[in-house]
Amino acid sequence: MGERFVVVPVDGGVGVARDGEHDPAPDTGGGGGGSSSSGGVTVEEKEAGEDSVFEPQDPNVVVPILEYNREPNKYGDGVPKENSPFINNTDNDKGNSYDGTNMALFEEEMDSNPMVSSLLNKLANYTNLTQGAQEHEEADDDEGPKKKAVKSPQMGTFMGVYLPCLQNILGVILFLRLTWIVGTAGILESLAIVCLCCSCTMLTAISMSAIATNGVVPAGGSYYMISRSLGPEFGGAVGLCFYLGTTFAGSMYILGTIEILLTYIVPKAAIFVAERKEDEVDALLNNMRVYGTCCLALMSVVVFVGVKYVNKLALVFLACVILSIFAIYAGVIKSIFEPPDFPVCMLGNRTLQNHNFDSCLKTVVIDNVTVTTKLWKLFCDGPELNATCNDYFVQNNVTEVQGIPGLASGVISENLWSEYGPLGMLVENKKLPSLGEVDSAQDIYMPYVVNDITTFFTLLVGIYFPSVTGIMAGSNRSGDLRDAQKSIPIGTILAIATTSFIYVTCVILFGGCIEGVLLRDKFGDAVKGNLVIGTLSWPSPWVIVIGSFFSCCGAGLQSLTGAPRLLQAIARDGIVPFLQVFGHGKANGEPTWALLLTGGICEIGILIASLDAVAPILSMFFLMCYLFVNLACAVQTLLRTPNWRPRFKYYHWALSFLGMSLCLALMFICSWYYAIVAMAIATCIYKYIEYRGAEKEWGDGIRGLSLNAARYALIRLEEAPPHTKNWRPQLLVLLNVDSDQGVKHPRLLSLTTQLKAGKGLTIAGNVLEGTYLTRDAEAKKAEQNIKSAMSAERTKGFCHVVVSSNLRDGVSHLIQSAGLGGMKHNTVLMAWPGNWRQSNDQQSWKNFIETVRETTATHHALLVAKNVDSFPTNQERLAEGTIDVWWVVHDGGMLMLLPFLLRQHKVWRKCKMRIFTVAQMDDNSIQMKKDLQVFLYHLRLDAEVEVVEMHDNDISAFTYEKTLVMEQRSQMLKQMQLSRTEREREAQLIHDRNTASHAAINDKADTGPDRVHMTWTKDKLFTERNRNREYNANVAVRDMFNMKPNQSNVRRMHTAVKMNEVVVNKSQGAHLVLLNMPGPPRNRGGDENYMEFLEVLLEGLNRVLLVRGGGREVITIYS
């Protein structure tokens, strides 16, 4: 808590402070004002009486005044408190708003549960800083000691969402490629492309509006929305894809800027000039690389120096875009009455590049003399009339057609259909006459307008899609909005509707105003290198050229500003470990390292150099991001999580699913191989975050989906027990911890991993003795240590630590209640209590035997590992050896199944399986071996079979003696236990005598023998006790040496000794021995003897796994 109550005496005495103490009453006993030799007595020194109410006894004592201080904790332990879960939690309001005594009943809960009034006060005063670069620039300007006051966000829907979305959506593709797309695909297919892409973004905007209005969206925009809705794995993968898309968008805008500069503004600035026509494309690409790299470096410097300049110029760039749009519509209207004069020169039906000639004529008459023109020289080997000319030039006439015939010309009917073609295809007007054949070998050297790339429908979709991206601009600025819940949906959807209208109308108007051959002329070569869309605009083509140039510049700067901050947000979330370095930056938070990486990736796009090649790449990444936005909305809607309460109500899971399907379809339509690469990148990032990333719990939809799926599966499992074919050991591993709560036998977890191979259920259980209120910290520490041990041993499962009044009950509770529904354990795995003989506490081995009984009663299988610390680790690889199974009694097939499961793991893979079974005198051992081999064949198990014959030998003297020693030891331990109990009773008796009152001793009414006994003297009492003890001890020793062993125990010991001899003889060198575990005696008086029998049975064996079935078949011969 941030507040401190400080007691300050009025008379200027020493103040007494206590951190976080709500009781203002000072301790005034023994002096005034809490005075003492130390100058003050803290309340901590009176802990014994802190429940008392102290009142001043002396009326002259000065009563201290309670002041309310909000200083940080200077006197406490310095342990930082956890941040409040409420929004806008600052250091100044972390304190306790509790004041007064009318709520004293709840005062101890104020640290974790604030008063309602305090919560409402925080909500009412909620403010959100402007996000992104603006806060960093304010940090730069804030050099004085006084901080700037935080202003409430004031941006509305129009300025905060609508215009930024408009600026981001409209851009380079509209100005540089839309006319070419309309001419190549035709009006109808162009409308299909526009509607397909705009429908995708509209559906995504609906889903995004639902997510964005379901609470406050902090910095990170789309990344934050996806990661908090779908979890860190999806969030990181899609966030990085969105980052790559934004970075490549920067490359595309820079390439667009350089294309406008070198093609339409200053063509003479080109460094590489083609000597031949066929080298023009390569020269253009090299110029783009050089100038693009310089432009990228310049923009990166601007962003590094300070993005405040980018933000200030944003309005100028937006004005350029809007002005250019109006110029296009004005030009369309003007073309109805007065079409602009942009003639296109045609040779036959072929379009000519109008760069090196003035008039579209072969010859002109000057002073009655026929003179050849510059056009003649392009097709002939000289200016003479009798020069050798190109055959097609000779056979066809030159004509001029109007490049912009106008909206009323009816050219729209000619531009309805597509004109796709291969690289190098001539741009022709099919209506004009043409003589002669196509000579491709010669035509490439002639000044014809040709296709610079092979065109087809899906390529155009990929090139066009970037022109509809940018719909996230509003949600990325949610912190700047006055009412983000209202502005984001309205502004984004209106912006998409506006831009969709602009694109649809532009497609129709371009097709209705511009000649088809000019539409297909990508770089305007037929109109003297003018921008094709500029020829239509009014009042001048330069309006569009300059406007599109600044628009592309601004969009490039915005991408270089936004992408590093997105990467910084991902890095600071800590979900991708290798990106941690990019979370750092300048002192004011500017993402310097992220900017360097962004510049490097952006350079890759610039080295590609072709706008048409870069556009599909960023289309992939944006489509993947939009796909997961739709998926997030659909998942949240279908799960109906309690926190899913968007203010935007016009959404439906079906719309989100349709949007997701459309995004996926567009990815493969644009470029199937790019789509596969993008999905592979996202999958690799997802798996990396899942494997190495930090654990995050963001309440995401995927966790909710997993919970629903788990609930459904558990309910289905509950309907019926698993079939024998599906049975596998679902383990409850009973672990012991030491005094530091560390795991004693981690090899139990290794064995679990080897037995399970990551399949099925594993619960690591532990019991602590005591009460949870006193041992909760130790329980949590034990749970954390067990989880760490499970992680180290690669054991996948759950941890369950129980605190119980005694260990026996705790283990019983675990066996009964661990698991949930159909996902309960069916097998208990525990370690053999190796030091049970040396232990003074008999409870340890008694608990072990009771656990065996409990598993039998609950029909659980039981595995007991002896010498578990000698079992192999997961990193070991056992050499060739054997796993020996001693099948004495049928237990449902557990002994057969366990070796098979162990051999699936690489530790035991080289081991062979041997099965030994025991034949009695009346058994046919040969037939038994054959039957067992047939049984194993049907079980599909490879194992060697051996039948061991055990004859009914006479009980040896050794066995008899061993049984006698066992029973004598048991009897001696009982006498020692009785002696210890007697001593404890005697001490209690002396204590009672010393504390009893004389009145009770002399009470005549009670003359019972116990009361008479209490009147003995101390010496008389000791003498009598010693005499009785010596007599009893002598009798016990005499009886012990005269006793004869119980015949039942002799028979059991005989079996244990003979079995041990056979097992040691056959399996002493085996890597593992599996053995039927005998059941405990029904009479609990023989429990200790039972432990002795098992010790004799296992003597001389290294790794042993005792197996006790659960009373059901676990393996079957049927398919």
Side-chain angles (χ1 to χ4, degrees), residues 896-913:
M896 306 291 185
L897 186 62
L898 292 176
F900 170 77
L901 294 175
L902 281 174
R903 290 179 63 214
Q904 305 304 306
H905 197 275
K906 49 195 172 185
V907 173
W908 304 89
R909 192 162 291 158
K910 293 182 180 179
C911 297
K912 294 181 180 179
M913 180 176 168

Side-chain angles (χ1 to χ4, degrees), residues 3 9 207 231 239 419 600 695 804 824 874 896 899 990:
E3 299 83 347
S207 299
E419 289 284 348
E695 287 291 331
S804 178
K824 279 184 171 291
N874 293 325
M896 306 291 185
I990 294 172

Side-chain angles (χ1 to χ4, degrees), residues 542-784:
W542 284 101
V543 175
I544 298 289
V545 172
I546 300 299
S548 60
F549 177 78
F550 282 113
S551 169
C552 291
C553 278
L557 284 170
Q558 294 283 358
S559 296
L560 288 178
T561 303
R565 281 167 178 75
L566 178 59
L567 181 62
Q568 187 182 45
I570 298 171
R572 285 182 172 175
D573 258 348
I575 58 174
V576 186
F578 70 84
L579 291 180
Q580 294 288 340
V581 65
F582 299 108
H584 307 296
K586 291 197 293 186
N588 62 351
E590 282 290 314
T592 309
W593 294 106
L595 179 61
L596 286 176
L597 180 65
T598 302
I601 298 174
C602 202
E603 179 65 18
I604 296 174
I606 287 173
L607 292 178
I608 295 174
S610 170
L611 187 69
D612 303 321
V614 172
I617 296 176
L618 66 99
S619 294
M620 288 303 113
F621 294 122
F622 278 120
L623 278 166
M624 183 164 289
C625 178
Y626 297 163
L627 183 150
F628 282 102
V629 169
N630 285 295
L631 176 62
C633 182
V635 167
Q636 297 277 33
T637 306
L638 289 173
L639 288 179
R640 298 177 183 175
T641 53
N643 191 51
W644 180 246
R645 304 184 300 274
R647 290 189 176 277
F648 180 76
K649 300 299 182 185
Y650 305 100
Y651 69 94
H652 193 269
W653 67 267
L655 292 177
S656 300
F657 188 79
L658 179 61
M660 182 180 68
S661 304
L662 198 55
C663 289
L664 187 63
L666 281 173
M667 286 177 68
F668 283 91
I669 287 173
C670 293
S671 173
W672 64 268
Y673 45 89
Y674 277 165
I676 291 175
V677 170
M679 293 172 76
I681 291 173
T683 303
C684 291
I685 297 170
Y686 178 95
K687 298 305 291 183
Y688 176 80
I689 295 173
E690 185 180 53
Y691 180 66
R692 294 291 304 275
E695 287 291 331
K696 298 287 182 181
E697 177 53 65
W698 288 331
D700 50 86
I702 293 299
R703 298 294 171 96
L705 187 61
S706 302
L707 183 62
N708 270 20
R711 180 186 62 83
Y712 175 76
L714 284 172
I715 292 173
R716 289 290 304 273
L717 282 174
E718 188 78 10
E719 292 175 0
H723 192 272
T724 303
K725 291 185 289 186
N726 295 326
W727 194 96
R728 65 166 59 247
Q730 318 284 7
L731 291 178
L732 170 62
V733 187
L734 297 179
L735 296 172
N736 291 327
V737 295
D738 54 26
S739 57
D740 293 330
Q741 314 309 323
V743 178
K744 277 188 178 178
H745 302 295
R747 296 292 175 85
L748 268 180
L749 296 173
S750 303
L751 178 61
T752 303
T753 303
Q754 295 154 23
L755 195 59
K756 302 300 295 295
K759 304 294 191 300
L761 174 71
T762 300
I763 302 173
N766 174 248
V767 178
L768 295 180
E769 198 166 4
T771 62
Y772 189 80
L773 294 177
T774 58
R775 304 202 65 180
D776 60 329
E778 296 174 36
K780 290 175 182 176
K781 184 179 179 182
E783 184 173 356
Q784 190 60 44

Side-chain angles (χ1 to χ4, degrees), residues 428-469:
E428 299 174 337
N429 187 336
K430 301 298 184 183
K431 293 191 305 178
L432 299 177
S434 176
L435 301 175
E437 298 295 328
V438 175
D439 185 3
S440 301
Q442 293 297 320
D443 291 343
I444 60 172
Y445 301 105
M446 299 296 109
Y448 297 127
V449 177
V450 296
N451 281 358
D452 65 328
I453 57 172
T454 301
T455 54
F456 43 90
F457 178 80
T458 57
L459 172 77
L460 299 186
V461 174
I463 292 174
Y464 172 77
F465 188 80
S467 66
V468 297
T469 59

Side-chain angles (χ1 to χ4, degrees), residues 862-874:
L862 176 65
L863 307 178
V864 179
K866 187 188 179 192
N867 297 330
V868 68
D869 292 328
S870 68
F871 276 61
T873 64
N874 293 325

